[in-house]
Amino acid sequence: MAQSPASLTANVTAFDAGAPVTAAFFLGEIPALALGDGSVFLAAAGAEKHIAAHPGAAILVAAKSGQKLVTGGDDGRVAIISEDGSMQELAREKGKWIDALAARDDGSIAWSCGKQIFARDPKGEIKTFDAPSTVRGVAFLPKGYRIAMSHYNGATAWFPNAAAAPETFEWKGSHLDITASPDGRFLVTSMQENALHAWRMTDKKDLRLSGYPAKPRSLSWSFDGQWLATSGADASIIWPFNSKDGPMKKNPRECGARPVKVSCVAFHPKTLVVAQGYEDGMVLLCRATDGAGILVRDHRDGADAAITALGWDGVGNHLLFGTANGDAGLLAMPA
């Protein structure tokens, strides 16, 4: 990032997604946006197409599985879309919403409706589990076929293919999103009370990461798994997990402070640079080591809706972003 330009706005191709953006991914080299009108927009240059994944409904959650996009809607449907636009319905939970969804590259997919969790292995076998209360977040743990879920008063880790009892991680309150550190040492949830909560998996020693003025609903791990970037403040808040005790008794780093809250974060897949979107539509790239920032999208360019989705391609050459009013853009990083 040395001698980088102060602005990359000239490298951004803006386009209209047509509906509020729920999530942003790349299927191979094809930018893919999951939208609030129930469609998936494949934004390949010159070959754009909308896929009606959830006709008449909205996509609430989405995750990437290999080179495919998995979506869950308020129609109770779980669908999977390939980069060529083909689509398959994986499940339909009649009369329910898909509240949370997770996937990984081997084809394993998990989703939740209310208290019930569904785990679909790569062979298509589905197993279910009833959580203690409504599940708000789902994540695959990095080791083994194991699923973590957040709910009221803590989190639970479940082995779908083992008879072992689920493992519980307790902390009073309402837990929302959930993520596991890439090395599997820590489990982290966002909370209703404008805070994060973390447990060390080996001994369940826990800590509260507080000080946010809003809920930190966007969480992103660095490529080396040693840093966790979060939204919910007027800067991205980046916690250190680079020691045995993680962020215990340590202060986070702050990048890109502005008088507007960060709404979305996404770490670069190769370097310690975090893309961060704001509630006024601005997008910055910030270097986590010293906080140096580069402008990607300026809110003064008529942008006024919050950034709701950010996603890098696998090598970090392109950044895709979308907003709450359907604006979107594709950044090509300088060679």
Side-chain angles (χ1 to χ4, degrees), residues 147-170:
I147 297 168
M149 62 201 80
S150 55
H151 47 72
Y152 195 71
N153 285 342
T156 298
W158 168 51
F159 284 105
N161 287 341
E167 189 174 9
T168 59
F169 300 82
E170 298 181 352

Side-chain angles (χ1 to χ4, degrees), residues 47-70:
E48 298 88 351
K49 62 178 74 172
H50 279 272
I51 313 301
H54 302 261
I59 296 176
L60 303 178
V61 287
K64 187 180 173 186
S65 176
Q67 300 303 323
K68 298 181 179 180
L69 181 64
V70 186

